[in-house]
Amino acid sequence: MYVRVVAATVAAALGTAAALLSPGSDARAGEHGVPTVIAHRGASAYAPENTLASIDKAAELGFSWVENDVQRTRDGELVVLHDDSLQRTTNVEDVFPGRAPWKVRDFTAAEIARLDAGSWYSPAYAGARVPTLKQYMRRVERNHEKLLLEIKNPELYPGIEQQTLKLLGNEGWLSGGHLRRLIVQSFSADSMRTVHELKPAVTTAYLGKPSVAQLHQFAGFTDLINPSYGSLSRGYVSTVHAFDGPHGRPLGVFAWTVDDAATARRAAGYGVDGVISNKPDVVRAALGSD
Ligand code: G3P
Ligand code: CA
């Protein structure tokens, strides 16, 4: 791990800083430095987020990278859901009216399996379920997709890193070519440090924007720094690219959540390697991404 300030400065001047990225996965910038586009919670502008339908939709639109959020039920099942409560994206209030505030960790997997996770979005998706992570991984595999997997709220679920890695290993995602199709990310630096220590071969990403002074520490356990696009600048992206991560390759940057053409072009102009979007087709049209 060392800083290659000169190389990054030259690359930034040439507008090709993104092309320097090559983390352990296939998450490098595409040809000619065009950012990779990641379908956020699946293609969540067009299908209910974090459902199998949302990743089918991403595949249908021609996107290989999808993002999701993983949490844990009361009886220890890993499930795919964004909020720590089931309230917004399921009919849990109707099915279990006396169970407010309907936290994921207060429900069993069997109870969650009864919920409708599609009707809130559109009647066309009535009956969609909250997938278990196992179900989700099998659909990602069937669709030949690549996964940016977020461990959501890890402070609520002690040991979720080890449990998630075990499931990924059982599903064949921790060896061979699958490792190039997987990135694990979190807003928790501790969680990403844990993932890196448990399985150093896994590509990891930190959600947030560490200070420049902190970057050398983050480069010890994370391959990518994934900030909100609103907090980004070209200078920050160049600085991140100047650090080598735990796999000896330049740190990458994925920006979120970008849903319009002008913002996508601005993010690409900063030299980011990936753009995470609810409307990946809009971003692709703006950037000519693959
Ligand atoms: O992948 C970036 C993004 O998912 C982080 O925010 O709240 O949508 O999980 P959030
Ligand atoms: Ca997420």
Side-chain angles (χ1 to χ4, degrees), residues 29-197:
E31 295 243 356
H32 314 298
V34 178
T36 297
V37 182
I38 300 96
H40 184 235
R41 309 182 195 172
S44 60
Y46 311 118
E49 64 183 59
N50 277 323
T51 62
L52 300 183
S54 73
I55 57 174
D56 289 350
K57 192 68 184 178
E60 187 187 315
L61 290 169
F63 292 94
S64 54
W65 277 99
V66 294
E67 191 259 6
N68 77 338
D69 303 283
V70 173
Q71 301 191 69
R72 192 164 69 203
T73 66
R74 191 175 86 195
D75 53 344
E77 185 86 46
L78 296 174
V79 291
V80 176
L81 197 91
H82 179 270
D83 299 0
D84 66 356
S85 165
L86 295 150
Q87 190 175 10
R88 180 177 63 87
T89 58
T90 75
N91 62 343
V92 70
E93 285 182 85
D94 297 333
V95 180
F96 300 102
R99 302 269 297 271
W102 301 287
K103 299 287 187 187
V104 177
R105 64 177 172 174
D106 293 335
F107 285 77
T108 65
E111 289 172 335
I112 290 174
R114 291 175 53 195
L115 302 177
D116 181 338
S119 291
W120 70 274
Y121 178 85
S122 161
Y125 289 99
R129 299 294 164 195
V130 174
T132 64
L133 182 59
K134 188 171 173 181
Q135 291 167 338
Y136 188 92
M137 295 311 301
R138 291 186 176 182
R139 187 64 66 97
V140 170
E141 181 72 7
R142 192 200 78 173
N143 290 349
H144 307 293
E145 291 174 314
K146 305 172 185 180
L147 180 61
L148 175 57
L149 183 157
E150 180 180 348
I151 299 181
K152 183 59 89 184
N153 305 318
E155 64 283 358
L156 298 179
Y157 312 111
I160 191 170
E161 295 85 5
Q162 186 157 28
Q163 186 180 0
T164 300
L165 289 169
K166 186 166 189 306
L167 188 147
L168 291 172
N170 290 345
E171 295 298 311
W173 278 74
L174 295 185
S175 57
H178 280 83
L179 279 171
R180 296 180 59 80
R181 296 163 53 195
L182 175 70
I183 302 171
V184 179
Q185 68 173 357
S186 179
F187 284 102
S188 164
D190 285 345
S191 187
M192 288 306 89
R193 194 181 289 106
T194 298
V195 168
H196 177 68
E197 287 171 1

Side-chain angles (χ1 to χ4, degrees), residues 1 10-11 16-17 44 55 107 110 123 126 137 143 153 173 187 205 213 222 231 240-241 251 256 259:
M1 177 177 67
V10 171
T16 56
S44 60
I55 57 174
F107 285 77
M137 295 311 301
N143 290 349
N153 305 318
W173 278 74
F187 284 102
T222 188
S231 68
V240 172
H241 282 154
L251 294 183
W256 48 272
D259 287 345

